[in-house]
């Protein structure tokens, strides 16, 4: 981007910042980080960030990119319309706001988002599902550009293209929430284990959430169930290099979705894991029956049958992993940046 712009400023909120505003420079890039160690300090410093942008960025010979949905985009309401502003949508904000317990702020939040989006010069979405949801919500939005999530290939550690001969390791990675398919995954494990532990498989849980007690209970019942807990992002490829398959079970119901191309799915693909996923639009942006194991959404029995099929027909499923390799070039950082520069 420095080939296109003489100066770049990056403003954001981070945790564990030593001061309220840490400013440092790298070449022609200025970083400004605001502390959000608590809810109150996060709100206070976010307001400070919005005021800073609105006050200081008055030149018309600049572009501003807001990454996220409503929260990072509010300054667009306070700056000149002559400034080209880009909003990069990473999720569908209405679903997020519906989860809040304070219902009274929802109408205001949606009104602010609408005005921000209509003021933007260009809108970018991180997946076709995000794009479609926003175009359906706001009919006046046109020409939303899709730039899917991407993986930094410098940190990737890939498996050899093998499914283990002794035990097939299958991992659930993410938050332990109902809309992420955790119930169906737990049920599928009970089905495959029947009356005793099926030693052909190990089921690993990486993450946290409201179903953690149920995962712990299943771990006590079956010796092939392991709760790993949280894994740092910097260590995720170390973990993925030790397993064979991942389950990707986020539902496509009306109150979920809109998260774009799944980042955890991309990590799994780059690690040469075999993806097992619901057959829905979220995952079919990348996957099909030729390169993955697609399951009827919500069908725990079909999910457990897939484990058997993978174990008994390894060569067929190794061919699926091989077909995913060709997709990697489309979801690496270099392609990601190339598409962004085309938009700018």
């Amino acid at each position: 981007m420095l080939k296109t712009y003489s100066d770049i400023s990056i403003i954001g909120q981070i945790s564990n910042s030593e001061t309220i505003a840490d400013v440092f420079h790298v070449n022609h890039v200025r970083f400004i980080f605001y502390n959000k160690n608590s809810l109150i300090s996060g709100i206070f410093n976010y307001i400070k960030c919005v005021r800073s942008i609105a006050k200081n960025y008055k030149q018309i010979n600049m572009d501003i990119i807001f990454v996220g949905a409503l929260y990072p985009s509010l300054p667009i309401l306070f700056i000149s319309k002559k400034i080209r502003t880009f909003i990069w949508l990473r999720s569908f904000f209405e679903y997020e706001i519906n989860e809040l317990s304070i219902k009274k702020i929802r109408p205001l939040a949606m009104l602010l988002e609408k005005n921000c989006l209509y003021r933007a010069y260009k809108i970018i979405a991180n997946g076709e599902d995000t794009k479609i949801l926003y175009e359906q919500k706001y009919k006046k939005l046109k020409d939303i550009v899709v730039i899917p999530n991407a993986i930094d290939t410098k940190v990737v550690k890939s498996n050899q293209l093998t499914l283990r001969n002794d035990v097939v390791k299958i991992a659930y990675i993410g938050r332990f929430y109902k809309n992420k398919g955790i119930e169906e995954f737990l049920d599928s494990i009970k089905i495959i284990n029947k009356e005793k532990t099926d030693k052909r498989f190990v089921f690993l849980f990486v993450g946290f959430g409201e179903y953690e007690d149920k995962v712990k209970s299943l771990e006590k019942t079956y010796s092939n169930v392991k709760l790993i807990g949280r894994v740092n992002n910097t260590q995720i490829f170390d973990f993925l290099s030790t397993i064979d398959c991942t389950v990707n079970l986020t539902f496509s119901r009306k109150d979920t979705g809109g998260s774009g191309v799944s980042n955890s799915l991309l990590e799994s693909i780059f690690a040469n894991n075999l993806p097992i996923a619901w057959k829905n639009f979220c995952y079919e942006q990348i996957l099909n029956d030729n390169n993955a194991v697609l399951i009827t959404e919500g069908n725990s029995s079909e999910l457990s049958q897939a484990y058997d099929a993978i174990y008994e027909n390894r060569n067929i499923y190794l061919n699926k992993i091989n077909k995913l390799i060709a997709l990697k070039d489309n979801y690496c950082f270099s392609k990601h940046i190339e598409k962004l520069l085309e938009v700018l």
Side-chain angles (χ1 to χ4, degrees):
M1 290 185 68
L2 284 171
K3 294 180 180 179
T4 306
Y5 297 94
S6 58
D7 293 284
I8 298 173
S9 295
I10 298 175
I11 302 174
Q13 293 186 327
I14 59 171
S15 299
N16 303 317
S17 177
E18 293 183 1
T19 61
I20 288 182
D22 286 347
V23 181
F24 59 93
H25 299 260
V26 178
N27 295 326
H28 294 280
V29 182
R30 179 177 63 156
F31 295 85
I32 306 171
F33 291 141
Y34 288 88
N35 182 292
K36 62 166 189 176
N37 284 332
S38 70
L39 177 62
I40 294 176
S41 70
I43 294 173
F44 173 79
N45 289 309
Y46 175 68
I47 293 172
K48 188 175 181 179
C49 176
V50 170
R51 292 181 63 188
S52 174
I53 294 174
K55 180 180 179 180
N56 295 317
Y57 293 140
K58 295 181 179 179
Q59 303 99 312
I60 63 172
N61 60 338
M62 65 173 7
D63 296 332
I64 300 179
I65 302 172
F66 299 104
V67 179
L70 174 65
Y71 305 117
S73 308
L74 280 178
I76 200 173
L77 300 176
F78 305 99
I79 59 180
S80 171
K81 291 184 178 180
K82 295 180 180 179
I83 297 177
R84 295 200 316 165
T85 53
F86 301 76
I87 296 181
W88 199 333
L89 300 167
R90 314 295 292 179
S91 63
F92 190 55
F93 181 64
E94 184 175 354
Y95 293 163
E96 296 180 18
I97 203 71
N98 285 342
E99 294 178 359
L100 295 179
S101 57
I102 309 174
K103 296 182 180 180
K104 291 182 180 180
I105 71 169
R106 294 176 186 174
L108 175 61
M110 299 312 301
L111 179 62
L112 289 171
E113 181 190 54
K114 178 181 178 179
N115 285 313
C116 286
L117 292 172
Y118 285 164
R119 283 280 297 267
Y121 171 77
K122 181 69 71 174
I123 298 172
I124 305 168
N126 67 338
E128 289 290 341
D129 58 331
T130 313
K131 173 184 176 179
I132 289 171
L133 284 169
Y134 270 97
E135 287 179 339
Q136 291 174 343
K137 176 70 176 177
Y138 302 111
K139 303 300 183 182
K140 292 182 180 180
L141 294 185
K142 304 293 182 183
D143 302 322
I144 296 177
V145 177
V146 174
I147 302 179
N149 294 331
I151 297 295
D152 182 0
T153 55
K154 294 178 182 178
V155 301
V156 171
K157 292 183 180 180
S158 299
N159 278 331
Q160 294 181 344
L161 292 178
T162 60
L163 288 169
R164 289 167 176 76
N165 293 320
D166 47 355
V167 177
V168 174
K169 295 184 177 181
I170 302 171
Y172 175 107
I173 303 172
R175 291 170 292 175
F176 302 162
Y177 292 155
K178 182 179 178 65
N179 69 339
K180 298 292 185 181
I182 185 71
E183 282 188 353
E184 288 70 20
F185 185 52
L186 292 170
D187 288 343
S188 72
I189 294 172
K190 294 174 185 176
I191 294 170
I192 198 73
N193 280 328
K194 297 177 183 176
E195 296 179 358
K196 63 179 181 179
T197 298
D198 191 328
K199 295 183 178 179
R200 297 176 300 166
F201 305 100
V202 172
F203 299 97
L204 303 157
F205 289 80
V206 174
F208 62 96
E210 58 190 17
Y211 278 74
E212 193 163 330
D213 287 342
K214 291 188 177 181
V215 175
K216 290 178 179 178
S217 176
L218 204 67
E219 185 180 31
K220 291 178 181 178
T221 304
Y222 302 112
S223 60
N224 64 350
V225 175
K226 306 291 181 185
L227 173 60
I228 306 297
R230 303 187 191 212
V231 173
N232 190 287
N233 287 340
T234 60
Q235 300 173 319
I236 191 63
F237 280 105
D238 290 325
F239 171 76
L240 291 172
S241 67
T242 68
I243 67 169
D244 301 292
C245 311
T246 60
V247 290
N248 306 269
L249 306 176
T250 297
F251 282 96
S252 61
R253 294 169 182 161
K254 64 180 181 179
D255 59 338
T256 60
S259 297
V261 174
S262 167
N263 204 64
S264 61
L265 173 60
L266 290 177
E267 289 172 340
S268 173
I269 291 172
F270 273 77
N272 291 336
N273 300 138
L274 174 65
I276 305 169
W278 292 146
K279 190 178 181 66
N280 65 35
F281 182 62
C282 177
Y283 297 115
E284 288 182 300
Q285 293 178 83
I286 303 179
L287 304 178
N288 56 54
D289 289 319
N290 292 321
N291 60 25
V293 182
L294 297 182
I295 307 296
T296 303
E297 199 171 62
N299 194 323
S300 301
S301 178
E302 188 178 332
L303 191 56
S304 68
Q305 291 169 18
Y307 309 150
D308 269 324
I310 291 167
Y311 191 90
E312 300 298 335
N313 304 281
R314 294 164 189 246
N315 287 337
I316 293 175
Y317 291 96
L318 283 173
N319 288 336
K320 289 179 182 283
I321 299 174
N322 263 311
K323 290 176 181 177
L324 284 172
I325 293 175
L327 296 178
K328 292 181 181 180
D329 286 345
N330 293 327
Y331 298 98
C332 60
F333 268 7
S334 59
K335 181 66 71 173
H336 193 70
I337 296 168
E338 179 183 312
K339 290 181 177 179
L340 174 59
L341 292 177
E342 286 176 2
V343 173
L344 298 178

